[in-house]
Amino acid sequence: MVRFVVEAGRAYAKPVAVCGELAADPIGIAVLVGLGILDVSVTPVAIAAVKESLLLLDSGRVRALAEKALAVSEAADVEKLFRGRT
């Protein structure tokens, strides 16, 4: 669903942002970036950790992982992909 929303936003030149705890999770932010999310909102206490996670991301790698993640059906499999366990 996130991928579809990102694509629709691009098609209509509208920004797409995610607000919530998923963006504060290191794997969550990697998945979101890989799916094309460029704007996130998190609680103030999570900002430093999110910034650190973003600095460590390789955007090409997370895009490739997100493409693979779209083909799996379980959240645990997505987590394994992004942790490098597959």
Side-chain angles (χ1 to χ4, degrees), residues 1 9 14-15 21 23 32 34-35 40 55 57 61 65 68 86:
M1 294 303 295
K14 299 292 181 185
E21 295 304 309
L32 292 172
L35 292 173
V40 297
L55 289 172
L57 287 183
R61 179 177 176 269
L65 289 172
K68 290 180 181 180
T86 60

Side-chain angles (χ1 to χ4, degrees), residues 5-16:
V5 172
V6 168
E7 289 174 355
R10 285 188 186 137
Y12 291 96
K14 299 292 181 185
V16 176

Side-chain angles (χ1 to χ4, degrees), residues 47-70:
I47 292 172
V50 171
K51 282 184 176 183
E52 184 176 345
S53 292
L54 288 170
L55 289 172
L56 297 173
L57 287 183
D58 174 335
S59 61
R61 179 177 176 269
V62 295
R63 278 194 300 271
L65 289 172
E67 287 298 321
K68 290 180 181 180
L70 292 172

Side-chain angles (χ1 to χ4, degrees), residues 9 11 16 38-39 42 47 64:
V16 176
L38 302 177
D39 297 308
V42 295
I47 292 172

